[in-house]
Amino acid sequence: MLQGALARPMLRFAIPLIASGILQQSFNSVDVAVVGRFAGSDALAAVGSNGPVIGLIINLFLGLSVGANVVISNYIGQRNSRGVRQAVHAAALLAILSGIIMCTSAQLIARPILEALDTPESCLDQAVLYLRIIGAGMPFMIVYNFGAAILRSVGDTRRPFYSLVVAGIINVCLNVVFVVGFGMGVEGVAWATVISNIANAAIITRLLMRERSDIRLEPHRLLSPSREVFKICAVGIPAGVQSTVFSISNVFILSAINSFGVIAAAGSAAALNYEIYCYFVINAFGQTCVAFTSQNFGAGHYDRCRRVLLISLVYSTTISVALNAGITWQRDFFLSAFTSETDVLFFAGERVATVLLFQFVACYYEMAGSAMRGLGYSMTPALITIFGTCVLRLVWVGLFPADGSFAALLAIYPVSWLLTDICMALAARVIHHRLTPKAENTSNADVSDLAV
């Protein structure tokens, strides 16, 4: 990360991340496909309606894993072995605590939040059951994500991917056994996901415990928390709050989608899978940008930080345009994997043409925000995204007319992405001018000095 060319190493780093994201999302997508094909539209709506709710619960804590990545990478750039070891165990402790909170929250809020979102009555009970079972597996999901963040900080994106391959195979096999073989429906796909998450967490934990470098996980050190917990939180909490507020806005949009009925909810759930798949390209290059920027900033290589941002932006935009356009062009083919019902396909197609086609617009603000986090500026991109994307969506839903169309409701996505791009570009310019004199006179910078 610190020497030589950047473009090829960054691509090698990002490809396993893209594959990992797709595999992780496939846990939910396989659930959606299996129930859509073998349990009907009510079960499809029940599983699909939970996507934004699950995101709301886990995103705050996933932000902490971003903080772990930044802090560990920065220490590696400084060649601070003691700092790396302390940050690894601080991250592991945060993962355990986060998992307990997530599991408890899912059990308590499942029915109230789904009722508040006007989940169609015909699928409400199934949706509640699915969320509560998935909640039981959230601690294992978060342990994997923290473990993967630790490995990414040293440039290892392959082993987390291999772990997901094993978990994905388990998930698919158990889905077929539970739903097709035993007729368990929504309950079956939920338990398949939980079991696969347990396997995933066990593999990543085992990998870290067998490490021979500074990122080795030693369980007895978890009882000695260090100040690195606060450093991780300083970077990770703003990122998590951003993702959480982002999820809240999507939850409100989901409520508006549910007002169109169970068919629209099912169609939206089917199309959403492809948005998430394509987003993992953007997210992978964002994580790449964070890791490379953190190490190079820690080593005082500010010129390389600027090149990391440019390369991340070129890669993410080019690949996103190709995927967005290709899936939209052949949307009937792709959507048929989730449902064969004509009415459901109509609403799904509307979402693809209105939202997915323009998703590449989000690349700039995601890459610029990732670069800022790598430099220790975590609150700035969080606030911009909250106000540029989330608040605007909430206002849009609040003012949306009762007789408005489905496509008009979803048009807020590309509009909010564009507005956030503009705001992020202005902020990036300010931070660039602020850091340039400091970068010329300082090396071995610590993100804790810049976490604002």
Side-chain angles (χ1 to χ4, degrees):
M1 293 186 184
L2 300 175
Q3 299 176 17
L6 283 166
R8 191 169 296 175
M10 287 177 64
L11 185 61
R12 286 200 301 265
F13 186 94
I15 287 175
L17 284 175
I18 296 170
S20 296
I22 290 172
L23 273 176
Q24 203 162 13
Q25 172 57 25
S26 293
F27 290 4
N28 181 260
S29 296
V30 170
D31 291 354
V32 172
V34 170
V35 296
R37 283 288 181 177
F38 298 100
S41 58
D42 282 345
L44 173 60
V47 174
S49 294
N50 270 297
V53 179
I54 293 170
L56 177 62
I57 296 171
I58 70 173
N59 277 337
L60 176 61
F61 303 102
L62 288 181
L64 292 176
S65 70
V66 174
N69 190 352
V70 170
V71 172
I72 296 169
S73 295
N74 189 259
Y75 279 134
I76 291 170
Q78 297 176 34
R79 293 178 171 82
N80 184 342
S81 296
R82 183 173 180 272
V84 171
R85 289 193 295 270
Q86 289 183 334
V88 164
H89 290 91
L93 178 62
L94 284 171
I96 294 170
L97 296 176
S98 299
I100 293 171
I101 296 171
M102 288 164 54
C103 179
T104 304
S105 300
Q107 308 311 313
L108 294 177
I109 71 170
R111 183 170 290 276
I113 195 170
L114 289 168
E115 288 177 343
L117 293 174
D118 295 325
T119 303
E121 189 66 32
S122 61
C123 69
L124 177 61
D125 288 341
Q126 295 183 77
V128 171
L129 177 64
Y130 181 81
L131 181 54
R132 284 179 173 161
I133 296 174
I134 290 295
M138 285 182 178
F140 305 100
M141 183 191 310
I142 204 72
V143 165
Y144 166 78
N145 279 282
F146 269 78
I150 292 170
L151 290 172
R152 283 197 301 271
S153 67
V154 294
D156 184 356
T157 56
R158 294 189 179 186
R159 285 186 293 172
F161 169 66
Y162 298 148
S163 176
L164 274 172
V165 169
V166 174
I169 293 171
I170 292 172
N171 187 50
V172 171
C173 293
L174 291 180
N175 267 320
V176 174
V177 172
F178 289 162
V179 178
V180 181
F182 296 158
M184 293 174 67
V186 167
E187 183 179 6
V189 295
W191 280 117
T193 299
V194 170
I195 294 169
S196 61
N197 279 328
I198 293 172
N200 207 12
I203 293 170
I204 208 77
T205 302
R206 181 65 172 167
L207 288 174
L208 288 172
M209 291 177 67
R210 292 173 63 89
E211 269 291 319
R212 297 188 179 184
S213 65
D214 291 333
I215 64 166
R216 179 185 178 89
L217 179 64
E218 300 174 87
H220 68 275
R221 290 181 177 269
L222 297 177
L223 301 178
S224 303
S226 65
R227 67 189 184 100
E228 308 310 323
V229 168
F230 301 102
K231 285 190 177 183
I232 291 172
C233 290
V235 178
I237 287 179
V241 169
Q242 171 190 318
S243 298
T244 300
V245 177
F246 197 85
S247 295
I248 290 173
S249 69
N250 287 337
V251 163
F252 276 90
I253 293 177
L254 173 62
S255 179
I257 289 171
N258 287 339
S259 69
F260 285 88
V262 69
I263 299 299
S268 177
L272 181 62
N273 285 280
Y274 291 107
E275 291 172 35
I276 297 174
Y277 278 133
C278 291
Y279 173 74
F280 277 117
V281 172
I282 302 174
N283 181 256
F285 284 106
Q287 291 183 54
T288 302
C289 186
V290 167
F292 276 72
T293 300
S294 299
Q295 280 208 23
N296 280 284
F297 188 65
H301 301 161
Y302 190 63
D303 285 343
R304 287 175 69 84
C305 294
R306 288 196 292 266
R307 284 193 288 152
V308 165
L309 173 57
L310 178 61
I311 293 168
S312 299
L313 187 59
V314 170
Y315 274 139
S316 61
T317 304
T318 302
I319 298 174
S320 293
V321 167
L323 287 173
N324 296 164
I327 294 173
T328 303
W329 177 43
Q330 294 293 328
R331 57 184 176 272
D332 291 340
F333 167 76
F334 286 104
L335 293 170
S336 65
F338 295 97
T339 182
S340 57
E341 297 182 29
T342 304
D343 291 343
V344 175
L345 286 171
F346 169 77
F347 283 103
E350 287 236 306
R351 176 154 190 152
V352 167
T354 307
V355 181
L356 179 65
L357 180 61
F358 302 100
Q359 192 181 40
F360 69 91
V361 176
C363 289
Y364 179 79
Y365 83 78
E366 288 282 0
M367 295 308 112
S370 296
M372 292 179 199
R373 290 190 188 94
L375 297 170
Y377 285 80
S378 190
M379 186 63 76
T380 303
L383 291 175
I384 291 172
T385 305
I386 287 170
F387 288 102
T389 300
C390 307
V391 173
L392 182 60
R393 291 180 186 178
L394 294 177
V395 172
W396 188 279
V397 171
L399 299 177
F400 192 73
D403 59 349
S405 69
F406 188 69
L409 171 65
L410 298 175
I412 186 55
Y413 282 101
V415 171
S416 61
W417 290 332
L418 182 59
L419 177 61
T420 308
D421 278 351
I422 295 170
C423 295
M424 200 71 79
L426 295 174
R429 184 176 181 83
V430 171
I431 289 176
H432 169 72
H433 287 299
R434 210 164 141 191
L435 283 181
T436 298
K438 190 176 294 188
E440 290 173 351
N441 299 301
T442 306
S443 63
N444 292 338
D446 190 325
V447 293
S448 63
D449 298 329
L450 297 170
V452 298

